[in-house]
Amino acid sequence: MKVAFKDNSFAFEFVRNLGFMYYGGSDLGEMIATAGQIEEGDFESWFTGWDKLAHRILSRADASLSAGHLESAREAYLRASTYFRTAEFYLHGNPADPRILSESRASQKAYADAAKLAGSTWEPAQIPYEGTTLPGYFYKVDDSGKPRPTLIFIGGFDSSLEELFFFAGAAAVRRGYNCLTFDGPGQGAPIREQKLLLRYDYEAVVTPAVDYALRRPDVDSDNLALMGMSLGGYFAARAVAFEHRLRAAIFFDGVYDFGESIRSMVPKEAIVAVDAGDAVHCEEIIQKRMLDDTNLRWAMTQGIWTFGASSISDFLTRIKQLSMTGIAKQIQCPCLVLEAEGDMFFSGQPQKIYDALQAPKKLFKFTSEDGAENHCQSGALSFFHEVAFNWLDETLGLHHDRNG
């Protein structure tokens, strides 16, 4: 599905953020108007357009707050947070760019301001992790303190904490689940503020989150589930192979071998070169292709940044570790594997992880018939949530409404 842009990467990111409209994280008119001012494939033009919109919405949020229009302020802060995050998305080719921090902090602050206005059911959280903490939010069904089934939701290769509410938190709470979201190493604030790099052994990240959840009296310890989005589909699979306190897992979408997917994006001769130890030739081939391929340009610069790689060839070597080969058989809990018919990143990966699973499993494929063919069903969140949470209800034996 392409909306507003012809460029594959720009079109996908546009729909990704437009989809948040369903839960109040964006709006159609202002996004379409902004897209019309952005030059195809131009990262600086992308930044300028979304940054301008973000500041305009933020000023309206501040004005509403000052005038006592609290709901108007909350809604505008949520949208401003989305647009600051969108503006920053393509800046990572230069990790020293000061706008990475300024836009990220602006997005975080706008979201935090919205969270305060949302009330006590949006609770900031800090997950202990290797001598520091990871920032998160714990979204509660209510303030009753009643133990609730709880979903831990993790992002992927490029996610930030603030968008995770729209991808899962909002839908979870509506259906009677608490939802814990957080930024892990290589994501959001941890990579930008703490320089914590992405890692392949994600059980080391998820287990502290499980510990945190199980310490809370409002979490039903018998009904704790995990969902991972995009590369988080690999993170979730890796985690439940080692962390067996989780009763169910959803791979949104399924990823068996991240390295295989990324390496399939680059010219074959570049892979031959890097595997033969000719890093110089590999770099030359890929750099040339990046001039005309926005998605490849973004993926390589994002990967170097989040993995702390020294070069493209170093990144392509490091990602070989992100594979479920020989590990998937250790998963014990029931798993839902989601697949997108038109996935531009992980085509074929959901079937591979599904085939490798020995635990109870289900594979569901989203298609263009429902406009749900995009990677991670961007633009079709309601259908995705219907499928994912219906399966989770049935797997956990829960059939409750939002007030249950």
Side-chain angles (χ1 to χ4, degrees):
M1 178 193 296
K2 285 188 178 181
V3 178
F5 294 99
K6 295 179 181 179
D7 180 272
N8 287 337
S9 185
F10 276 24
F12 173 76
E13 290 306 320
F14 181 85
V15 172
R16 170 183 180 167
N17 291 284
L18 181 64
F20 299 157
M21 179 174 61
Y22 193 76
Y23 295 107
S26 61
D27 207 358
L28 176 63
E30 60 202 25
M31 286 198 66
I32 291 290
T34 298
Q37 303 166 22
I38 295 172
E39 183 179 344
E40 295 272 0
D42 187 317
F43 290 177
E44 284 299 319
S45 179
W46 177 275
F47 170 82
T48 299
W50 298 114
D51 178 67
K52 182 179 178 181
L53 176 61
H55 279 287
R56 188 163 68 249
I57 302 301
L58 179 63
S59 68
R60 300 211 308 252
D62 289 340
S64 291
L65 182 63
S66 296
H69 306 302
L70 302 187
E71 182 59 19
S72 294
R74 186 191 69 83
E75 292 177 354
Y77 281 130
L78 281 181
R79 301 201 321 278
S81 175
T82 294
Y83 301 142
F84 279 121
R85 187 175 62 253
T86 304
E88 187 263 0
F89 187 80
Y90 289 106
L91 296 179
H92 306 149
N94 175 16
D97 189 329
R99 296 174 298 178
I100 293 175
L101 271 180
S102 63
E103 295 293 297
S104 175
R105 289 171 178 172
S107 178
Q108 293 168 38
K109 184 180 185 306
Y111 192 87
D113 288 341
K116 292 175 186 176
L117 293 169
S120 58
T121 57
W122 290 30
E123 181 183 324
Q126 294 291 328
I127 312 299
Y129 170 76
E130 298 191 352
T132 184
T133 58
L134 301 173
Y137 279 95
F138 189 86
Y139 301 101
K140 299 182 288 187
V141 176
D142 55 34
D143 283 323
S144 68
K146 177 182 177 179
R148 301 277 186 178
T150 299
L151 176 69
I152 299 175
F153 180 54
I154 53 178
F157 188 42
D158 57 25
S159 63
S160 292
L161 171 63
E162 294 73 32
E163 71 175 337
L164 301 184
F165 171 75
F166 309 114
F167 272 118
V173 171
R174 288 186 181 187
R175 290 164 170 81
Y177 292 85
N178 298 322
C179 187
L180 172 62
T181 65
F182 64 95
D183 275 334
Q187 301 170 339
I191 182 65
R192 292 163 177 83
E193 303 279 353
Q194 300 170 272
K195 310 304 180 187
L196 296 179
L197 301 176
L198 194 150
R199 58 190 297 172
Y200 75 95
D201 52 343
Y202 225 72
E203 66 275 15
V205 182
V206 169
T207 287
V210 172
D211 292 340
Y212 170 89
L214 293 180
R215 285 195 295 267
R216 297 186 60 108
D218 51 2
V219 169
D220 178 356
S221 61
D222 292 327
N223 287 300
L224 187 63
L226 178 67
M227 186 192 315
M229 175 179 72
S230 190
L231 179 54
Y234 161 79
F235 293 152
R238 171 82 193 200
V240 293
F242 295 91
E243 174 53 79
H244 299 302
R245 291 175 292 176
L246 294 153
R247 276 202 59 199
I250 300 173
F251 309 148
F252 160 53
D253 290 342
V255 181
Y256 182 77
D257 190 319
F258 178 64
E260 180 182 71
S261 285
I262 292 294
R263 288 161 70 95
S264 70
M265 293 173 63
V266 308
K268 292 181 180 180
E269 57 267 32
I271 297 301
V272 171
V274 72
D275 288 345
D278 190 350
V280 173
H281 189 43
C282 170
E283 298 273 340
E284 290 174 347
I285 295 168
I286 295 176
Q287 289 285 358
K288 183 177 181 180
R289 178 67 63 86
M290 285 166 60
L291 296 175
D292 300 314
D293 188 331
T294 304
N295 196 46
L296 182 62
R297 181 163 31 124
W298 166 78
M300 295 299 105
T301 54
Q302 179 75 12
I304 290 170
W305 181 56
T306 56
F307 279 84
S310 60
S311 63
I312 291 174
S313 57
D314 183 32
F315 166 56
L316 293 175
T317 300
R318 291 184 185 218
I319 57 177
K320 291 180 179 180
Q321 292 181 299
L322 280 74
S323 173
M324 290 300 295
T325 302
I327 300 172
K329 62 185 179 182
Q330 298 173 204
I331 296 174
Q332 300 174 6
C333 67
C335 298
L336 173 63
V337 181
L338 301 181
E339 181 175 13
E341 179 183 57
D343 198 316
M344 63 190 290
F345 300 106
F346 298 138
S347 178
Q349 289 292 314
Q351 187 68 55
K352 289 184 176 182
I353 184 64
Y354 177 81
D355 290 343
L357 290 169
Q358 297 180 14
K361 58 187 178 179
K362 179 178 180 179
L363 176 68
F364 189 94
K365 186 173 184 176
F366 293 91
T367 71
S368 58
E369 182 180 17
D370 297 293
E373 76 275 20
N374 274 355
H375 174 66
C376 289
Q377 293 75 67
S378 291
L381 294 183
S382 62
F383 187 23
F384 150 56
H385 290 147
E386 173 189 323
V387 171
F389 285 100
N390 287 2
W391 176 85
L392 192 58
D393 282 349
E394 293 163 7
T395 298
L396 299 181
L398 304 173
H399 297 281
H400 45 64
D401 61 27
R402 61 186 298 187
N403 297 312

